[in-house]
């Protein structure tokens, strides 16, 4: 190797540093360009314009079925230059829940999310409980494995509704006499359309939707089965909002537990201390 003057070595060192920085910047820029090139061609969100239906066919429980919330999107992903995998899909979280079943003067049962109710978390995952953080892994997600030469265009969709059973009798009583007098439910959700890199966990929020489901049912337990319950309100739900500016996803919306595993059924009598009827599944 020739003996170069010290100044030449300095110039060569600076050149190498600048070259390396250029390469790193180029990689970073390519990654940024890729993220910013993922586009939502179309997004739709609605709640079916039908009232909640009530089913009194059982002598043990009242069942009701709310209309469906539905969301769909067409997404365009640019060519992926490297060997990496991206998943585009729906993530949903519950940010508010009131779920009260009243039994006249005896008290009420209440499905509760303790950490959400106490303000310890901003929202709780509404994942299917298997494919965290995704709402599901059939129509709800799409996986793109790179490298790809062409852009990828696809549609993803999801839907959600409530179909619970509420006991006619007080849940902590040995009696099977109908005492249910009313049901009140009010829940709020945020649904995000997200693209994430499976290797780096990089996450790009593409769309944010907010929606709410409410219902009130009056019950006359003294009437014959099949004639007890009446839908009070609302007959039509508020339609979802597709936000013009995305909201950040709270960390609690991406991890266990989901709402179904975290919820607790409480009995809150008019007199006396509350009782846990069904504890949380999450330990």
């Amino acid at each position: 190797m020739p003996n170069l003057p010290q100044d030449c070595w300095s110039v060569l060192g600076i050149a190498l540093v600048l070259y390396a920085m250029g390469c790193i910047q180029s990689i970073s820029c390519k990654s940024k360009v890729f993220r910013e090139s993922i586009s939502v061609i179309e997004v739709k969100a609605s709640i079916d314009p039908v009232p909640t239906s009530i089913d009194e066919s059982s002598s043990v429980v009242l069942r009701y079925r709310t209309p469906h919330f539905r969301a769909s999107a067409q997404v365009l992903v640019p060519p992926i230059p490297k060997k990496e995998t991206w998943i585009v899909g729906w993530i949903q979280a519950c940010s508010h829940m009131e779920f009260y079943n009243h039994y006249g003067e005896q008290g009420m049962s209440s499905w509760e999310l303790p950490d959400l109710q106490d303000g310890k978390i901003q929202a709780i995952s509404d994942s299917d409980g298997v494919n965290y953080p995704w709402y599901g892994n059939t129509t709800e997600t799409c996986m793109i494995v790179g490298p790809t030469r062409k852009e990828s265009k696809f549609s993803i969709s999801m839907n959600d509704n409530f179909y619970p059973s509420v006991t006619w009798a007080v849940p902590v009583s040995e009696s099977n006499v109908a005492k249910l007098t009313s049901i009140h439910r009010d829940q709020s959700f945020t649904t995000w359309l997200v693209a994430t890199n499976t290797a780096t966990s990089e996450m790009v929020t593409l769309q944010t939707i907010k929606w709410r489901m409410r219902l009130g049912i009056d019950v006359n337990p003294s009437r014959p089965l099949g004639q007890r319950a009446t839908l009070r309100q609302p007959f039509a739900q508020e339609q979802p909002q597709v936000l013009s500016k995305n909201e950040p996803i709270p960390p609690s919306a991406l991890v266990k537990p989901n709402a179904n595993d975290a919820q607790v059924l409480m009995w809150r009598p008019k007199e006396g201390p509350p009782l846990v009827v069904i504890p949380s599944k999450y330990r």
Side-chain angles (χ1 to χ4, degrees), residues 61-76:
V61 294
L62 175 151
R63 297 186 181 94
Y64 62 84
R65 189 189 298 271
T66 65
H68 281 82
F69 162 75
R70 303 181 192 276
S72 62
Q74 275 197 331
V75 182
L76 189 66

Side-chain angles (χ1 to χ4, degrees), residues 18-243:
L18 290 175
Y19 176 76
M21 289 176 63
C23 289
I24 293 169
Q25 188 175 22
S26 175
I27 293 169
S28 174
C29 286
K30 284 181 180 178
S31 178
K32 184 179 180 183
V33 168
F34 175 80
R35 294 196 310 269
E36 294 178 350
S37 298
I38 302 173
S39 59
V40 181
I41 300 170
E42 181 182 44
V43 63
K44 295 179 180 178
S46 64
I47 295 178
D48 295 346
V50 296
T52 295
S53 62
I54 300 172
D55 178 2
E56 294 188 38
S57 61
S58 167
S59 61
V60 179
V61 294
L62 175 151
R63 297 186 181 94
Y64 62 84
R65 189 189 298 271
T66 65
H68 281 82
F69 162 75
R70 303 181 192 276
S72 62
Q74 275 197 331
V75 182
L76 189 66
V77 175
I80 300 174
K82 297 185 292 182
K83 186 179 179 181
E84 59 184 20
T85 300
W86 286 78
I87 297 177
V88 179
W90 298 104
I91 294 173
Q92 182 165 281
C94 175
S95 56
H96 177 79
M97 183 169 84
E98 298 172 16
F99 189 171
Y100 309 136
N101 307 310
H102 294 272
Y103 293 85
E105 292 303 311
Q106 298 197 39
M108 73 173 186
S109 65
S110 173
W111 283 104
E112 301 174 9
L113 295 165
D115 284 356
L116 185 65
Q117 190 169 296
D118 296 343
K120 294 179 180 178
I121 56 174
Q122 185 181 345
I124 189 165
S125 168
D126 199 27
S127 164
D128 62 3
V130 178
N131 302 283
Y132 286 95
W134 308 109
Y135 183 76
N137 74 337
T138 52
T139 64
E140 298 88 359
T141 57
C142 182
M143 180 183 292
I144 309 99
V145 180
T148 57
R149 293 183 178 180
K150 298 180 180 179
E151 60 189 16
S152 305
K153 182 180 177 182
F154 52 87
S155 297
I156 52 175
S157 62
M158 63 162 286
N159 67 77
D160 191 11
N161 80 324
F162 308 150
Y163 184 41
S165 299
V166 181
T167 58
W168 293 112
V170 173
V172 295
S173 170
E174 294 182 2
S175 169
N176 60 0
V177 176
K179 296 290 184 180
L180 181 67
T181 53
S182 68
I183 297 171
H184 166 83
R185 191 161 183 177
D186 187 349
Q187 281 184 250
S188 298
F189 299 87
T190 305
T191 308
W192 294 271
L193 180 62
V194 173
T196 185
N197 184 312
T198 60
T200 65
S201 299
E202 177 185 5
M203 191 170 281
V204 183
T205 302
L206 304 173
Q207 199 73 60
T208 307
I209 300 168
K210 286 189 170 293
W211 63 282
R212 180 184 183 187
M213 190 75 76
R214 297 183 299 138
L215 70 92
I217 296 174
D218 289 327
V219 181
N220 184 340
S222 63
R223 292 186 64 84
L225 189 65
Q227 303 175 24
R228 294 174 180 171
T230 305
L231 181 66
R232 182 172 67 246
Q233 54 80 30
F235 290 101
Q237 302 290 330
E238 300 171 26
Q239 288 301 307
Q241 291 182 301
V242 179
L243 304 188

